[in-house]
Amino acid sequence: MGWLLELDTQRVRDLALVGGDPPLIALHTAEETLLYYAIDSGALYGRETLPRFDPHDLLDGRRPAPFDALRAPNQAPLPRAQVGTATVLSSHDGRLHAIQRGEHTVALLIDGEHVDLLRDHAAGVLAMGLDRELGTVGVLTGDGALHVFQQHVPVGVYPLDLALHGCCPTISLPDGSGMLIVSDEGRTRIFDTAGRVLEQAICPAELCLAAVAPAGEWVVRYGGARGVVRVHDAHLTAVRQGAGDDLRAASRLVQLFETEDVSGENIDRLVVADDGTLAFVQGRSLCCAHLSSLPPLPLEQPLF
């Protein structure tokens, strides 16, 4: 049984799942506030103002104290945070941070030591991912390339023939897997750190959002004119498909009053856990449900 609640904010900048005890959903509002909800119940667990950074001093070679403050109330590091114009990805132990500053620069902060991975990259940075266990960093750039770093050490740059028309590709690095999962228009691919394709799935709907579970157990895509939520397993086999309405219908209201009707509205943010828990923002509501609430797809059978 999932849950559903009405938000008191006009816009959500980001959504993240935070491990620890208890596991939490972190919601970053347009008002630069972080709201934390218990995954199992939807109860509000905490509220805090996001630390402020001076963008000119963000990577000055020292470990700014605000980075240490990027932790949830359960003391687990936030996996991702939007800090002004910067995106910060953090390792499980909070000692390593991958930072995308603006549209052209990616850097790493390891125990306070600052290393530029890409600086003033001409083609621009489209997306960035971090293996929170091993510290591997993957970066997609506007020239259709995948850049791989093992912490501060460059591993390789690989052309991917990214489909960039009408969508922004995403990249995720499951914990300790040595794999990079890239979703773009019409497909999702799994690469190893040498740029080789390990798995590929052709996806009929145009891409609006994609989410990957921390250990890579689930890959969820959302998009298309009808707002389809499509679920793939770790081998990119499509196993379930439905809509946000299916998930909302299987969820109970946390509050006493009814939420607004969001039928037909797009899902704006989407995250998934390894146990199949899915959280998303649609309109002014936050829904947390399980992938099993979506209708199953028939499995492909070999023909003899």
Side-chain angles (χ1 to χ4, degrees), residues 64 88 124 128 142 198 223 230 240:
V88 181
M128 173 184 68
L198 304 178
R230 190 175 179 91
R240 292 184 180 273

Side-chain angles (χ1 to χ4, degrees), residues 174 212-219 232-235 273-275:
V212 177
E217 294 296 318
W218 304 105
V219 179
H232 300 260
D233 64 15
H235 301 288
D274 286 312
D275 66 358

Side-chain angles (χ1 to χ4, degrees), residues 17-24 39 72 74-77 79 92 132:
L17 295 177
V18 184
D21 186 17
L24 302 171
I39 288 181
N74 62 4
Q75 295 307 304
H92 285 296
R132 301 185 67 205

Side-chain angles (χ1 to χ4, degrees), residues 161-184:
D161 184 30
L162 288 173
L164 302 178
H165 304 292
C167 82
C168 184
T170 65
I171 181 170
S172 300
L173 283 72
D175 293 341
S177 67
M179 300 187 303
L180 305 97
I181 302 179
V182 177
S183 293
D184 59 350

Side-chain angles (χ1 to χ4, degrees), residues 90-112:
S90 300
S91 63
H92 285 296
D93 60 9
R95 296 174 57 187
L96 181 148
H97 307 278
I99 304 158
Q100 179 187 343
R101 185 177 60 177
E103 298 179 355
H104 300 274
T105 298
V106 174
L108 208 61
L109 204 64
I110 309 175
D111 289 331

Side-chain angles (χ1 to χ4, degrees), residues 28-234:
H28 181 181
T29 75
E31 296 82 17
E32 301 303 320
T33 298
L34 288 170
L35 303 175
Y36 298 96
Y37 299 92
I39 288 181
D40 61 349
S41 65
L44 182 64
Y45 195 83
R47 178 192 299 259
E48 60 188 27
T49 302
L50 194 71
R52 294 189 177 275
F53 293 87
D54 182 341
H56 300 290
D57 298 331
L58 186 61
L59 298 172
D60 60 358
R62 295 177 290 108
R63 182 174 184 173
F67 275 116
D68 295 326
L70 295 179
R71 291 180 177 270
N74 62 4
Q75 295 307 304
L78 293 175
R80 183 179 65 248
Q82 303 290 335
V83 185
T85 59
T87 300
V88 181
L89 308 181
S90 300
S91 63
H92 285 296
D93 60 9
R95 296 174 57 187
L96 181 148
H97 307 278
I99 304 158
Q100 179 187 343
R101 185 177 60 177
E103 298 179 355
H104 300 274
T105 298
V106 174
L108 208 61
L109 204 64
I110 309 175
D111 289 331
E113 295 296 325
H114 161 225
V115 180
D116 282 318
L117 303 183
L118 294 175
R119 186 174 181 85
D120 300 326
H121 191 75
V125 175
L126 300 176
M128 173 184 68
L130 172 68
D131 181 330
R132 301 185 67 205
E133 183 176 319
L134 299 180
T136 310
V137 179
V139 182
L140 299 176
T141 53
D143 51 1
L146 168 64
H147 304 251
V148 181
F149 304 87
Q150 181 52 52
Q151 297 192 10
H152 63 283
V153 179
V155 174
V157 181
Y158 313 109
L160 295 194
D161 184 30
L162 288 173
L164 302 178
H165 304 292
C167 82
C168 184
T170 65
I171 181 170
S172 300
L173 283 72
D175 293 341
S177 67
M179 300 187 303
L180 305 97
I181 302 179
V182 177
S183 293
D184 59 350
E185 190 73 17
R187 63 189 169 180
T188 294
R189 291 173 285 177
I190 301 178
F191 297 89
D192 63 14
T193 54
R196 294 182 292 251
V197 178
L198 304 178
E199 305 278 359
Q200 176 169 285
I202 303 302
C203 307
E206 65 182 11
L207 177 68
C208 294
L209 297 171
V212 177
E217 294 296 318
W218 304 105
V219 179
V220 180
R221 291 174 59 106
Y222 167 77
R226 301 176 65 181
V228 172
V229 179
R230 190 175 179 91
V231 182
H232 300 260
D233 64 15

